[in-house]
């Protein structure tokens, strides 16, 4: 008995050992809407699998309609495989404009699509139909409540942006085979990662409105069918992250509504169309630069065709021009492996690491700025009492201290902090192509969006809202500098065209809210619009006090920057024009003629100098602060008492703070007349 028991025990141990030595088997989970699988919903199945695995995990989805919004976040090596392309339908109705008025106001585009991916490399989709049905379901335009819109309302179109597939950064090496992606609106298939996006589509059908296939980074589509419901463009590409990034379409067919156009680009792009077939009703329009974008300024227009034909006869622009591309390419060279620069071959699964940024692509000042950047995205103006100085050397100890200080809440837009760094980092990225600099700038822009109040105003600091830091701050042009950065993003001007397109729409909305706040805070006296105060309470929008010597008062300095910002509105409304004209009348009214501010030697004073206002025929001066209600120039020292003569406050303030200047002079003499001429010309058109 004992021998038999030992033999059985030995056999059991050998069996157990053998099982342990067997290679790990890929996991398969079944989803069935009728309850015959492990899960009824796709999302439940995704949630059930670990984040990573040595081998791909397969979620097998039985035929059925799955009315859900699906998220794949932080998971890799995952296959979503349907029983059949026509039989597995994942559908959810969601207009992007509708999304941006609710959860999307803070989540951005995370969650706007039917199928959403981020931070999830190596995802494969097979035999699925992914549909955003909003446009198909809607009967027409609707107006909805929208807290993020300047008016509190937004009109949602049935043909606006509607995403079926949305892949955010980190969802690279995405494969889709035998899949259908449908929407009536734009951006149906939106795999968006300009830095590292790699996307492969084979035997897929894509349908939608403007730019309904709009990859960023690297994309290869083979044997795919494109159905366009827009007269603007079917395909789109953003290759601004890397000169090598491209979109290749091989053996693809294009059809759609009468007069549909093939494609366009807003920024740097690179298109290769190989052996593609176009319907007879397609417009005679080559892939074009959209006027609302900056176009291809760095690397030029790169649109190439080879072997492409249209039913009923080719248009002239379809002629083969592959020989004009770099590298003396032949059609056979345009493979998937070539498309992805050898970093990934979707046919074999081979992955090669991206080489690190070369030493030559480093800007030492930009590197210092990244060290100082806080986790919230903004920058401090000083460390304690010491102003930030990017020209100074950073010791190893100081570097460690900066890294430990990432979570401090001292980020601000005061004294040009944050806006200065954003501008420089984009310049550094433009010169080095180092993606870390663009990322830093984009995080700074997101900080500006995050800190803005719902009413459009900006506090001086964020997230530290103590003391007067919470007030809406025009002082030292803080709010205007922030809005100027966001306006450049919204307009995709110059180097600001290099930032993520995801920031453009939020920036436009932020600028609109900012302008609305500016109009609301313009002080009206005796029925006439005048100027602006340096600070306002963020709730009541009433003038507020900041430091002891900064009382509620009209500003002869900050109001100039505000007027300049308003004059830069491309097509000003009657209200915006009235605000500008009222401020200009006020500047003329309160100017102090035949006076000048001079700095003089004053040996008897602690600093040995003083500032005085003296007669000066022909000169014009404006006060920094004007009394509310009377428009009298006021001078306030650290005792917070109002004085009407500069000589009546302490020397420390007279010599250390500018209480008078010529700020509006150039505005009145040159800029305002030029603006009047511009808007008068536009009115005649």
């Amino acid at each position: 008995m004992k021998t038999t028991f030992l033999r059985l025990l030995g056999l059991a141990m050998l069996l157990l050992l053998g099982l342990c030595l067997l290679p790990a088997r890929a996991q398969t989970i079944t989803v069935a809407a009728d309850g015959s699988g492990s899960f009824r919903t796709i999302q439940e199945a995704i949630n059930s699998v670990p984040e990573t695995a040595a081998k791909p995990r397969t979620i097998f989805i039985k035929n059925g309609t799955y009315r859900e919004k699906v998220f794949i976040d932080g998971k890799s090596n995952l296959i979503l495989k349907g029983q059949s392309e026509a039989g597995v339908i994942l559908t959810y109705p969601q207009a992007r404009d509708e999304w941006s008025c609710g959860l999307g106001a803070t989540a951005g585009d995370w969650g706007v699509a039917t199928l959403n991916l981020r931070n999830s490399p190596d995802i494969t989709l097979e035999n699925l139909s992914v549909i955003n049905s909003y446009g198909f379901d809607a009967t027409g335009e609707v107006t909805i409540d929208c807290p993020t819109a300047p008016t509190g309302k937004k009109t949602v179109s049935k043909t606006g942006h509607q995403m079926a597939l949305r892949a955010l950064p980190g969802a690279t090496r995405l494969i889709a085979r035998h899949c259908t992606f449908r929407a009536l609106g734009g951006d149906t298939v939106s795999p968006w990662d300009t830095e590292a996006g790699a996307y492969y589509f084979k035997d897929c059908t894509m349908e939608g409105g403007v730019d309904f296939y709009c990859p960023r980074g690297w994309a290869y589509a083979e044997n795919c069918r494109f159905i366009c419901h827009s007269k603007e463009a079917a395909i789109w590409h953003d290759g601004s992250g890397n000169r090598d990034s491209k979109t290749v379409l091989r053996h693809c067919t294009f059809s759609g509504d009468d007069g549909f156009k093939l494609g366009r680009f807003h920024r740097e792009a690179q298109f290769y169309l190989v052996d593609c077939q176009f319907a007879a009703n397609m417009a005679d329009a080559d892939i074009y630069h959209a006027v609302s974008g900056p176009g291809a300024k760095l690397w030029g227009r790169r649109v190439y065709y080879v072997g492409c034909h249209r039913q009923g006869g080719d248009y002239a622009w379809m002629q083969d021009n592959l020989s004009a591309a770099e590298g003396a390419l032949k059609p056979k060279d345009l493979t998937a492996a070539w498309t992805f620069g050898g970093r990934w071959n979707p046919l074999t699964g081979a992955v090669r690491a991206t080489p690190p940024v070369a030493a030559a692509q480093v800007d030492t000042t930009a590197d210092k700025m990244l060290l100082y950047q806080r986790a919230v995205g903004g920058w401090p103006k000083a460390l304690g009492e010491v102003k930030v100085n990017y020209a100074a050397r950073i010791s190893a100890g100081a570097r460690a201290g900066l890294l430990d200080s990432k979570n401090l809440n001292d980020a601000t837009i005061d004294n040009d902090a944050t806006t200065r760094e954003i501008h420089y980092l984009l310049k550094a990225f433009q010169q080095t192509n180092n993606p870390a600099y663009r990322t830093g700038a984009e995080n700074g822009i997101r900080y500006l969006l995050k800190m803005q109040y719902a009413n459009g105003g900006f506090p001086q600091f964020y997230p530290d809202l103590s003391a007067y830091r919470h007030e809406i701050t025009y002082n030292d042009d803080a709010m205007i500098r922030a809005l100027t950065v966001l306006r450049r993003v919204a307009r995709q001007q110059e180097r600001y065209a290099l930032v993520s397109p995801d920031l453009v729409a939020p920036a436009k909305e932020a600028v609109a809210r900012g302008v609305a706040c500016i109009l609301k805070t313009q002080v009206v006296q005796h029925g006439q619009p005048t100027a602006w105060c340096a600070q306002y309470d963020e709730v009541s929008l009433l003038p507020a006090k900041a430091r002891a010597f900064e009382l509620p008062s009209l500003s002869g300095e900050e109001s100039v920057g505000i007027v300049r910002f308003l004059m830069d509105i491309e097509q000003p409304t009657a209200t915006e024009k009235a605000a500008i004209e009222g401020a200009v009348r006020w500047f003329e009214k309160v100017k102090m003629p035949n006076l000048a501010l001079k700095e003089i030697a004053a040996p008897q004073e602690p600093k040995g100098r003083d500032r005085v206002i003296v007669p000066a025929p022909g000169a014009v001066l404006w006060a920094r602060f004007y009394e509310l209600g009377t428009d009298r120039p006021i001078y306030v020292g650290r005792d917070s008492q109002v004085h009407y003569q500069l000589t009546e406050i302490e020397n420390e303030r007279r010599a250390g703070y500018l209480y008078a200047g010529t700020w509006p002079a150039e505005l009145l003499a040159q800029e305002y007349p030029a603006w009047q001429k511009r808007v008068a010309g536009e009115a005649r058109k």
Side-chain angles (χ1 to χ4, degrees), residues 223-405:
N223 297 333
C224 291
R225 297 160 296 282
F226 295 87
I227 305 169
C228 184
H229 300 300
S230 167
K231 291 189 177 182
E232 291 182 84
I235 62 174
W236 182 94
H237 180 240
D238 176 8
S240 58
N242 191 297
R243 180 169 182 162
D244 179 63
S245 59
K246 59 184 74 74
T247 180
V248 178
L249 300 99
R250 190 170 199 132
H251 298 301
C252 295
T253 63
F254 290 81
S255 62
D257 300 345
D258 287 347
F260 77 91
K261 292 179 183 176
L262 176 57
R264 65 178 184 169
F265 57 93
H266 284 79
R267 56 193 67 231
E268 303 295 333
Q270 189 172 192
F271 296 83
Y272 292 85
L273 285 87
V274 185
D275 297 329
C276 292
Q277 301 295 316
F278 307 118
N281 65 340
M282 185 173 74
D284 184 2
D286 195 358
I287 293 175
Y288 66 97
H289 162 223
V291 295
S292 57
K297 294 183 177 180
L298 296 177
W299 305 311
R301 174 182 168 84
R302 297 179 295 169
V303 179
Y304 308 106
Y305 302 93
V306 59
C308 295
H309 299 287
R310 167 182 168 268
Q311 295 173 1
D314 297 346
Y315 293 133
W317 48 267
M318 295 176 182
Q319 64 182 339
D320 295 357
N321 67 337
L322 186 60
S323 60
E326 292 182 12
L329 298 168
K330 303 294 184 184
K332 63 180 179 60
D333 299 325
L334 308 184
T335 63
W338 170 82
T339 299
F340 301 113
R343 292 183 299 277
W344 177 49
N345 187 336
L347 303 182
T348 65
V351 176
R352 189 188 75 199
T354 303
V357 176
Q361 294 178 289
V362 167
D363 181 305
T364 56
T365 299
D367 283 346
K368 291 176 185 176
M369 287 180 174
L370 295 182
L371 276 174
Y372 276 92
Q373 189 173 24
R374 301 312 193 202
V376 72
W379 279 265
K381 66 177 181 178
L383 300 180
E385 298 299 320
V386 181
K387 291 182 179 179
V388 171
N389 178 13
Y390 294 117
R393 177 182 172 273
I394 299 178
S395 66
R399 181 181 297 271
L402 287 169
L403 291 173
D404 288 340
S405 303

Side-chain angles (χ1 to χ4, degrees), residues 130-142:
V130 183
I131 301 170
N132 187 327
S133 63
Y134 182 86
F136 300 114
D137 299 341
T139 57
E141 289 186 348
V142 294

Side-chain angles (χ1 to χ4, degrees), residues 14-131:
L14 286 172
L15 179 61
L16 180 60
L17 179 60
L19 289 174
C20 292
L21 292 175
L22 286 174
R25 298 182 63 185
Q27 181 182 9
T28 299
I29 298 172
T30 300
V31 178
D34 61 7
S36 61
S38 304
F39 297 96
R40 286 182 177 270
T41 70
I42 299 170
Q43 190 64 59
E44 287 176 322
I46 293 170
N47 294 345
S48 74
V49 301
E51 292 183 354
T52 60
K55 290 195 173 185
R57 289 78 53 80
T58 298
I59 296 178
F60 179 73
I61 309 168
K62 289 187 175 183
N63 287 343
T65 299
Y66 299 83
R67 303 184 187 280
E68 55 178 309
K69 182 177 287 195
V70 172
F71 297 83
I72 303 177
D73 189 10
K75 306 211 174 195
S76 63
N77 233 357
L78 187 62
I79 299 171
L80 268 61
K81 185 173 184 177
Q83 186 175 355
S84 68
E85 182 177 351
V88 176
I89 300 174
L90 170 60
T91 181
Y92 192 91
Q94 182 80 73
R96 189 185 197 184
D97 284 340
E98 179 187 37
W99 173 254
S100 67
C101 294
L103 294 174
T106 56
D109 274 345
W110 175 239
V112 71
T114 304
L115 177 56
N116 304 271
L117 301 86
R118 70 178 177 186
N119 300 320
S120 299
D122 301 305
I123 303 297
T124 298
L125 310 174
E126 292 184 16
N127 301 332
L128 305 170
S129 289
V130 183
I131 301 170

Side-chain angles (χ1 to χ4, degrees), residues 615-628:
V620 180
L621 203 61
W622 283 266
R624 176 76 178 267
F625 303 121
Y626 289 86
E627 191 172 50
L628 289 167

Side-chain angles (χ1 to χ4, degrees), residues 354-548:
T354 303
V357 176
Q361 294 178 289
V362 167
D363 181 305
T364 56
T365 299
D367 283 346
K368 291 176 185 176
M369 287 180 174
L370 295 182
L371 276 174
Y372 276 92
Q373 189 173 24
R374 301 312 193 202
V376 72
W379 279 265
K381 66 177 181 178
L383 300 180
E385 298 299 320
V386 181
K387 291 182 179 179
V388 171
N389 178 13
Y390 294 117
R393 177 182 172 273
I394 299 178
S395 66
R399 181 181 297 271
L402 287 169
L403 291 173
D404 288 340
S405 303
K406 286 291 183 182
N407 291 317
L408 290 181
N409 66 346
D410 55 353
T412 180
I413 55 173
D414 191 30
N415 290 4
D416 208 16
T418 299
T419 52
R420 166 186 58 178
E421 285 83 359
I422 292 170
H423 194 69
Y424 187 92
L425 285 171
L426 287 177
K427 178 183 177 183
F429 170 71
Q430 200 172 27
Q431 295 173 342
T432 66
N433 205 34
N434 187 331
Y437 302 151
R438 178 165 64 178
T439 299
E442 289 173 342
N443 289 337
I445 292 166
R446 291 186 179 94
Y447 168 77
L448 298 181
L449 294 170
K450 192 184 306 181
M451 76 183 304
Q452 187 183 31
Y453 291 128
N455 61 19
F458 284 78
Q460 187 184 53
F461 281 71
Y462 180 84
D464 179 8
L465 301 178
S466 61
Y468 57 83
R469 294 177 172 183
H470 62 89
E471 294 169 354
I472 292 174
T473 304
Y474 295 118
N475 193 23
D476 292 330
D477 296 325
M479 175 168 158
I480 295 302
R481 278 196 299 267
L483 284 173
T484 298
V485 165
L486 294 174
R487 175 179 277 169
R488 288 173 177 170
V489 173
R491 292 177 177 175
Q492 302 175 70
Q493 287 179 324
E494 300 168 348
R495 67 190 63 168
Y496 288 86
L498 299 171
V499 306
S500 170
D502 296 350
L503 294 169
V504 174
K508 285 181 180 178
E509 294 176 357
V511 171
R513 289 195 298 271
V515 170
C517 181
I518 289 171
L519 298 177
K520 290 176 184 176
T521 52
Q522 186 174 24
V523 175
V524 177
Q525 295 185 154
H526 312 298
Q528 296 297 317
T530 60
W532 288 264
C533 301
Q535 294 87 208
Y536 289 82
D537 181 88
E538 73 276 15
V539 178
S540 68
L541 297 186
L542 293 174
K545 175 185 175 183
R547 289 176 289 186

